[in-house]
């Protein structure tokens, strides 16, 4: 831990330093112009101070973003649309619903593929091919089409998340369901256990480590899917809508705050999955 | 009787197959009693003046030929011809001007044909080689496409929800010049440049980090964190910084592809075995020649893994960035404007282009990987 702490701290500090230098460099012309227009003194320190405190900077400084994030989190009630927690919750709701749907679909497909040779030969190549299609890029259209048949709000976003999520889960579960020890499978057969019983008592528990590895990947891309799915709804609610409205009105600080919030959200969700994994696998005696 | 003892594999399939055929034949018989469609308000049965009986006879002949074929695989091909004929029937009826949405006999018949297709694929999936790896998935995909066409046209799904593949193909052909311009702007200009820059930067920094372990230890956790955050969200910022043209798209792609390439390259460089490194040292090989002659070739499977992941990411990055602002050309621009104008067949045509591009890039990389890493254990035994 300490072996990694130092390099990571140094890299993070370097990154922050680069951020401040970049902010000064990018905001310099605009800051100098503002000062010149107000006919104030424009020495190096004055312009720098101006560049770091602009209202609509080209690149806001980390402290501006943190202040915006803090103000938004503490300044309003969590149910107010001005609070980023509200938007994060809207996004998380869609992402988690999609994840649950993707989990169901993924496990179903994996079980089918593991148990049926025909499905393995015919479906597995298409599962892989489905991911070479840039689905995320056509997500807005899915939202519009589903809107046409009266499905609005949560569900279209969840469908996109589901499409993104099921792939890692299917691939992981195919591996996981096959990872049951052949000796144990033979043992089940000597007990004359049914295929169903072998699935529930042996194959499914054996696949849990694989499932959680896939879930961690899925949860992250699910958040991405939900955010992109919110882009075409045109600034109602959600972190994606927040990004879009920030980009329309040139509110760069707002964009960055939403981005940081999105990162925090997916890191938090991954942490939840990791916690579940520790508890569940610990109970099963894996650790 | 001697036939049974010499080929036990075939007999077991035969007994199973007969029950399957019965299960398929029963709904077909039931289907004969139901109508196939409606023309000018009049309900038509199977023998209502269309060529449906001819199709029926053809399918029955194919199935009989399949069941009596000396080899199971030959039989499967004959049955496949029957399936194809069965699924051509609704297209013929649509050409005759029938309304199929109430033709339950026809749909039951098609369901039976789908079961037959399932059986055929089950047999073909047991044949190793090209049949298993190409033809079976190909049949599955073709079946999906034909089913989509027939269901959408048969039940008259509004094109605004889901146009049939034939209309998408027509839109593709009719708008080829526009789509080609979009393709050139998005793929040939933005994606390729951003991809090369992002993967190149990730690769070079990985080499650097390999030289300086301090850098690697600092960058890897950051890279893992970056894989968790929705990088695509920087698209509006990049459009603000670099303008509407390809530079902003390339910038998004660079940020999206940098860390996957970095992580994969680092993992690949650590993949050489101790004994191989010792051999190189006993040859008095320096860092450079060890890198070029041993470690990079060993890292190739990992490099290709990163390149493959990035090929899809790059397409996504470019198209999403185009939603936030673009010159009036490009696949993302086309999708967002035509959705707003409800020209969904052009949107679907653009999606088809994007899907083909994504699969094409992936396929090309997979092919290149096969050619360059044929010696690697992960490629052996295929």
């Amino acid at each position: 831990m300490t072996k990694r702490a130092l390099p990571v701290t140094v890299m993070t500090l370097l990154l922050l330093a680069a951020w401040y230098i970049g902010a000064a460099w990018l905001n310099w012309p605009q800051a100098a112009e503002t000062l010149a227009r107000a006919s104030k003194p424009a020495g190096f320190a004055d312009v720098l101070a101006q560049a770091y405190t602009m209202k609509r900077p080209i690149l806001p400084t980390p402290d501006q973003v943190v202040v915006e994030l803090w103000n938004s989190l503490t300044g309003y009630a969590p149910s107010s649309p001005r609070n980023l927690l509200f938007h994060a919750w809207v996004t998380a709701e869609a992402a988690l619903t999609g994840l649950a749907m993707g989990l169901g679909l993924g496990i179903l497909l994996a079980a089918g593929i593991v148990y049926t040779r025909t499905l393995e030969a015919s479906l597995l190549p298409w599962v892989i091919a489905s991911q070479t299609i840039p689905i995320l890029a056509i997500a807005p259209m899915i939202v519009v089409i589903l809107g046409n048949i009266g499905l609005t709000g949560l569900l279209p976003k969840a469908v996109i998340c589901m499409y993104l999520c099921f792939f890692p889960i299917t691939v992981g579960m195919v591996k996981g369901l096959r990872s049951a020890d052949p000796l144990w499978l033979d043992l089940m057969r000597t007990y004359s256990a049914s295929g169903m019983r072998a699935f529930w008592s042996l194959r499914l528990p054996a696949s849990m480590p694989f499932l959680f590895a896939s879930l961690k990947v899925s949860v992250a891309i699910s958040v991405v899917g939900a955010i992109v799915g919110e882009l075409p709804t045109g600034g109602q609610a959600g972190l994606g809508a927040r990004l879009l409205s920030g980009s329309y009105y040139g509110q760069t600080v707002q964009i960055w705050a939403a981005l940081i919030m999105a990162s925090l959200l997916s890191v938090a969700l991954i942490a939840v999955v990791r916690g579940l994994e520790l508890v569940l696998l610990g109970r099963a005696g894996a650790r | 009787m001697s036939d049974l003892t010499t080929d036990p594999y075939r007999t077991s399939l035969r007994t199973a197959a007969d029950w399957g055929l019965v299960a398929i034949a029963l709904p077909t018989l039931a289907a004969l009693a139901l109508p196939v469609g409606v023309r000018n308000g009049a309900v038509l049965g199977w023998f209502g003046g269309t060529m449906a009986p001819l199709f029926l006879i053809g399918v029955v002949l194919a199935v009989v030929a399949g069941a009596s074929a000396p080899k199971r695989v030959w039989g499967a091909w004959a049955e496949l011809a029957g399936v194809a004929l069965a699924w051509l029937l609704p297209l013929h009826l649509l050409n005759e001007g029938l309304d199929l949405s109430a033709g339950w006999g026809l749909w039951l018949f098609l369901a039976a044909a789908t079961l037959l297709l399932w059986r055929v694929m089950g047999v073909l999936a047991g044949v190793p080689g090209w049949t298993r790896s190409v033809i079976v998935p190909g049949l599955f995909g073709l079946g999906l496409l034909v089913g989509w066409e027939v269901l959408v046209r048969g039940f008259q799904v509004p094109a605004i929800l889901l146009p049939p593949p034939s209309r998408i193909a027509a839109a593709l052909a009719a708008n080829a010049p526009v789509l080609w311009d979009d393709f050139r702007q998005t793929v040939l200009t933005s994606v390729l440049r951003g991809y090369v820059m992002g993967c190149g930067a990730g690769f070079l920094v990985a080499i650097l980090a390999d030289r300086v372990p301090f850098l690697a230890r600092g960058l890897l956790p950051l890279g893992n964190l970056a894989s968790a955050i929705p990088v695509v969200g920087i698209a509006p910022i990049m459009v603000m910084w670099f303008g509407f043209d390809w530079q902003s798209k390339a910038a998004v792609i660079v940020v999206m592809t940098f860390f996957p390439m970095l992580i994969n390259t680092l993992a690949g460089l650590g993949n050489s075995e101790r004994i191989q490194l010792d051999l190189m040292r006993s040859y008095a090989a320096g860092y450079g020649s060890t890198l070029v002659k041993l470690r990079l070739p060993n890292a190739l499977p990992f490099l290709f893994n990163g390149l493959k992941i990035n090929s899809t990411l790059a397409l996504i990055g470019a198209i999403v960035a185009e939603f936030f602002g673009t010159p009036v050309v490009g696949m993302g621009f086309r999708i967002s404007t035509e959705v707003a104008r409800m020209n969904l067949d052009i949107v679907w045509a653009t999606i088809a282009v994007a899907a083909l591009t994504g699969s094409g890039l992936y396929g090309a990389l997979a092919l290149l990987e096969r050619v360059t890493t044929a010696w690697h254990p992960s490629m052996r035994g295929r």
Side-chain angles (χ1 to χ4, degrees):
Chain A
M1 198 63 209
T2 45
K3 208 180 156 196
R4 274 170 57 184
L6 180 68
V8 171
T9 319
V10 170
M11 289 309 298
T12 314
L13 286 179
L14 274 179
L15 212 66
L16 282 178
W19 191 335
Y20 273 106
I21 293 171
W25 183 55
L26 280 169
N27 298 337
W28 196 272
Q30 217 181 327
E33 202 190 310
T34 318
L35 285 183
R37 208 179 291 147
S39 56
K40 281 182 185 161
F44 180 80
D46 302 316
V47 183
L48 196 64
Q50 175 67 23
Y52 282 161
T53 51
M54 284 200 302
K55 212 163 157 44
R56 289 184 184 182
I58 296 179
L59 175 59
T61 58
D63 58 86
Q64 278 179 307
V65 177
V66 170
V67 166
E68 160 85 14
L69 198 60
W70 183 253
N71 284 344
S72 138
L73 291 186
T74 55
Y76 310 96
S79 58
S80 149
R82 307 193 67 167
N83 191 322
L84 269 180
L85 270 184
F86 166 77
H87 295 285
W89 169 244
V90 171
T91 303
E93 216 178 4
L96 289 177
T97 315
L99 183 69
M101 286 156 66
L103 190 67
L105 180 67
I107 292 181
L108 220 71
L109 281 183
I113 286 170
V114 167
Y115 279 99
T116 327
R117 191 181 59 181
T118 313
L119 264 188
E120 185 196 350
S122 59
L123 190 61
L124 200 52
W126 288 104
V127 170
I128 293 166
S130 76
Q131 299 304 305
T132 65
I133 298 169
I135 182 73
L136 207 53
I138 54 185
M141 197 204 63
I142 296 176
V143 173
V144 171
I145 289 185
L146 289 181
N148 279 343
I149 51 174
L151 289 175
T152 49
L154 182 77
L155 209 61
K157 290 188 273 174
V159 167
I160 294 161
C161 299
M162 177 189 80
Y163 187 94
L164 289 172
C165 285
F166 88 91
F167 174 70
I169 293 175
T170 305
V171 171
M173 283 301 280
V174 165
K175 236 182 195 164
L177 289 175
R178 285 194 177 137
S179 72
D181 194 328
L183 268 179
W184 293 355
L185 280 172
D186 286 345
L187 184 66
M188 292 297 272
R189 207 161 302 138
T190 65
Y191 293 159
S192 83
S194 66
M196 267 316 213
R197 192 63 206 266
F199 179 82
W200 288 111
S201 309
L202 184 56
R203 283 184 187 266
L204 203 59
S207 70
M208 281 301 127
F210 293 85
L211 178 66
F212 278 107
S214 303
L215 266 183
K216 277 181 241 165
V217 178
S218 293
V219 112
I221 53 179
S222 189
V223 172
V224 178
I227 289 176
V228 176
E230 280 157 2
L231 292 181
T233 54
Q236 291 163 14
L239 292 172
R242 199 82 176 148
L243 279 180
L244 197 68
S245 69
S247 125
Y248 276 163
Y249 303 114
Q251 297 283 0
T252 38
V253 187
Q254 182 191 324
I255 298 182
W256 281 96
L259 263 183
I260 303 281
M261 193 69 219
S263 314
L264 289 179
L265 174 65
S266 66
V267 169
L269 287 179
I270 291 176
V272 169
V273 172
R274 192 163 293 160
L276 269 180
E277 179 184 15
L278 281 179
V279 171
L280 273 181
L281 292 190
R283 282 237 175 122
R287 299 271 151 94
Chain B
M1 200 56 207
S2 65
D3 187 45
L4 288 180
T5 45
T6 50
D7 193 354
Y9 177 61
R10 183 184 153 208
T11 48
S12 65
L13 265 178
R14 272 296 270 277
T15 29
D18 287 341
W19 283 111
L21 263 192
V22 171
I24 292 167
L26 282 179
T28 312
L29 283 176
L32 288 180
L34 292 165
V36 293
V38 179
R39 180 158 56 188
N40 303 330
V43 176
L44 290 188
W46 280 87
F47 305 97
T50 60
M51 302 228 292
L54 285 183
F55 282 87
L56 197 62
I57 293 170
V59 174
V60 169
L61 281 181
V63 171
V64 169
S68 57
K71 274 192 185 164
R72 219 28 227 119
V73 178
W74 297 357
W77 289 111
E79 283 171 7
L80 185 62
V83 174
L85 209 54
W87 276 96
L88 282 176
L89 172 61
L91 296 179
H92 164 72
L93 292 179
L94 281 169
N95 279 345
E96 294 274 308
L98 265 71
D99 175 8
L100 302 183
S101 49
W104 295 111
L106 180 69
W107 298 118
L108 199 58
F109 177 67
L110 289 179
T114 310
L115 280 180
L116 190 63
L117 176 64
W118 180 255
R119 226 169 72 100
V120 170
M121 289 200 303
V123 174
L124 293 183
V127 182
W130 277 80
T131 316
R132 185 189 160 88
S133 62
V134 176
I135 293 182
V136 173
L139 281 179
F140 189 82
L142 198 66
L144 278 186
L145 219 55
V146 174
W148 173 2
E149 172 89 26
V150 167
L151 286 177
V152 165
R153 283 177 60 188
F155 286 102
Q156 290 155 4
V157 177
I160 205 123
L161 288 185
L162 191 66
S166 56
R167 256 189 84 172
I168 297 172
L172 198 64
N175 298 288
V178 176
L179 293 175
W180 168 247
D181 281 347
D182 293 341
F183 178 79
R184 210 167 46 193
Q185 166 74 18
T186 303
V187 178
L188 300 185
T189 310
S190 316
V191 169
L192 280 189
R193 290 180 193 175
Y195 184 69
V196 169
M197 283 193 274
C199 293
F203 180 75
L204 290 179
V205 172
I207 301 270
L208 194 71
D210 180 60
R211 240 8 283 249
V212 190
F214 185 82
L215 199 60
R217 281 206 297 274
L219 275 177
L220 264 185
L222 286 184
N224 286 332
L225 188 70
S227 72
I229 65 179
V231 185
V232 85
I234 60 159
I237 297 165
M238 291 299 161
V239 171
M240 230 176 257
W241 287 3
F242 294 101
F244 281 179
D245 210 356
W246 66 270
Q247 290 90 341
S248 58
K249 283 74 198 174
V252 175
I253 296 170
V254 167
V255 179
M256 281 179 86
T257 55
F258 176 77
F259 277 111
M261 196 62 198
L262 175 76
I263 291 174
N264 274 291
T265 310
L266 275 179
L269 287 177
N271 194 38
S272 291
E273 280 173 37
R274 193 71 247 165
I275 196 162
Q276 300 169 319
L277 292 171
D278 286 347
L279 182 67
M280 288 305 276
R281 193 166 312 131
S282 75
Y283 290 158
Y287 175 82
S289 57
T290 310
L291 185 70
V292 173
K293 292 190 173 143
L294 171 66
R295 301 177 63 211
L296 279 183
N298 261 336
L300 273 179
F302 289 84
L303 291 184
F304 274 108
N305 190 27
L307 287 175
K308 281 186 199 161
I309 295 173
N310 280 345
S311 69
T312 317
L313 282 181
L315 260 185
I316 289 175
I319 297 181
V320 172
E322 282 176 351
F323 292 151
F324 286 96
T326 151
V328 288
V329 63
M331 282 151 71
F333 170 79
R334 193 68 52 209
I335 290 175
S336 54
T337 49
E338 299 297 335
V339 159
R341 291 160 59 184
M342 289 291 162
N343 283 335
L344 284 201
D345 39 358
I346 300 182
V347 176
W348 278 97
T350 310
I351 292 173
V353 173
L356 284 178
T357 311
S359 312
L361 281 176
Y362 190 93
L365 284 169
L367 202 67
L368 197 64
E369 180 181 17
R370 253 177 186 227
V371 172
T372 52
T373 62
W375 49 270
H376 194 271
S378 66
M379 281 289 158
R380 277 185 221 144
R382 281 200 187 171

